[in-house]
Structures are given as structure tokens and as C-alpha cells.
Amino acid sequence: MRFFRGLTVPAANVDQVLSTIRNRGLSQGNQWSIEYRHPGPLDALFAKPDLSTQDTRPHNQAGDPAVCACSEEMGAAYYAWQHNRTSENDTPIIVEFEADQDAVAIDGRDFLATVFQFGEPALARPALARTCGNAVLPYAERAWATDNQNRRIALCDLARHHPDVVKAHHANTVVLGGRHHTVFRSAFIVKLPTAPQSIIRAWSPIGRPVLPVPGITLSSLLIESYRPKG
């Protein structure tokens, strides 16, 4: 599967970082600490009546180091030019690379998890089917049917690892407006390391792109009490 990762580094370090990525691949580091943690047998866990995050994120089981990525360049450009920039890390870098699907999960933090927790089913159902495929719906329906927020998160953990959901989200073309004004079409967590032969290209873009207008916004899918006021 093809991915694009957007990151930012100090201007003085750009050449060194690009050389390291091209010669050594992607490894742990940068601003955010991310883990890839597969919950286990999805069907068996989905059938568990008392499913919780202790099943999908057991405290005694460490995750694998991972990085965030998108399935297309626009999302990576947004994170590189805007979301991840700081006064110190001020220069964007985009990395295009390949990864096996069994090393990939949807990153639900900016969109999917919130829809599972606070989505209005009538509004969220068609949006999830459009952006994550029909395979996501049994997980979402069960989440909306319970008031247990922990169980809702655990069901989202299962959904974001389901191979058909991952494939559908990877192919999504709808621009999403997520938490904290994020703009992307897809968001993933990719397990590390990524070998240098998996790197397609790595570069520091020159011109800041104009972001497209989201076709679906997170706030429009939530129950009324969780929608922004005004």
C-alpha cells in the first residue's frame, strides 16, 4: 500500500534528515510518539459481550513503534505545512513510501474515534460507509447501541484494524474536516521500521498548497450536545 508522511524539522537539518530517510528508511522519532497495537482476533473480540479497551489495549502488552501517514499527498502536506509545524521544527518534509497492509491501522484520533463515541447514527452512518466502507458499520452500530464509552472505543479499535475497513479508507477520496481543524482524506498508523527499499521518494516541498474544502466535517456528524455552538 502507498502512503505519504508529512513531518517538520529545523531548516538546518533538512538535508541530513532526507539523507537518513533515503538511506535508512523511517524509524522512531520526530515530535509525536505513536504505537501500533493490533487488538487480536477481530471476530472473537467482536463477539465478546463485555468487550473493553483492556481487551484491545491490554496494559501489560507494549505496542510497536509507528508513524502517522496518509494515503495521498494532500493530507501529508497539511500535516507537514500546518499541523506539525512549530517555531523550531519549521520546514516541511514529505515521504512517499510503501507498507504491507498487515502493518497498517486507521488512525482514529482526529475523526473515526469521535464518530464512534459521539456520532448521531442517522448522520454518521452514510458518512462512515462512504469514507470507510460498509464493513465499518457493524462496529459503529454496536458502539452507538451502548452508553459505555470504553466499549465504544474498543469497538473502534476493532474497526480500524479490519482489513476491508483499512482498504476502503485508503481509497477514500472525500476530504474530511476533523478535530482541531485537521484536513485530510485518510489517516493511518504504520508500524515501524520502514526499510529504505520501501521509500519511494523524500523531499522538502517549496510551495505551500491551498487546502481543499472538506466535503464531510466531523462536527456535522455528532449528536447535538457535542456540536460546536454558534
Side-chain angles (χ1 to χ4, degrees), residues 114-115 117-121 123 144 149 152 218-229:
T114 305
V115 177
Q117 288 182 277
F118 306 113
E120 175 62 56
L123 301 173
W144 298 327
Q149 289 291 352
R152 288 178 173 180
L218 174 63
S219 60
S220 70
L221 307 181
L222 304 182
I223 58 176
E224 188 171 357
S225 59
Y226 280 89
R227 294 177 201 164
K229 300 295 188 289

Side-chain angles (χ1 to χ4, degrees), residues 1-7 26 36 67-77 94-107 160 163 165-171 186-191 194 198-203:
M1 302 181 85
R2 183 68 56 92
F3 294 96
F4 295 81
R5 170 159 170 74
L7 60 150
L26 291 171
Y36 173 91
V67 293
C68 299
C70 300
S71 64
E72 41 71 52
E73 188 176 332
M74 182 280 293
I94 297 178
V95 184
E96 182 179 0
F97 66 99
E98 293 279 346
D100 293 335
Q101 184 173 334
D102 60 6
V104 175
I106 294 174
D107 183 350
R160 62 192 186 86
V165 180
V166 170
K167 286 179 185 176
H169 189 55
H170 188 273
S186 61
F188 294 93
I189 294 171
V190 182
K191 183 168 64 172
T194 298
S198 297
I199 303 298
I200 308 301
R201 57 180 177 142
W203 74 101

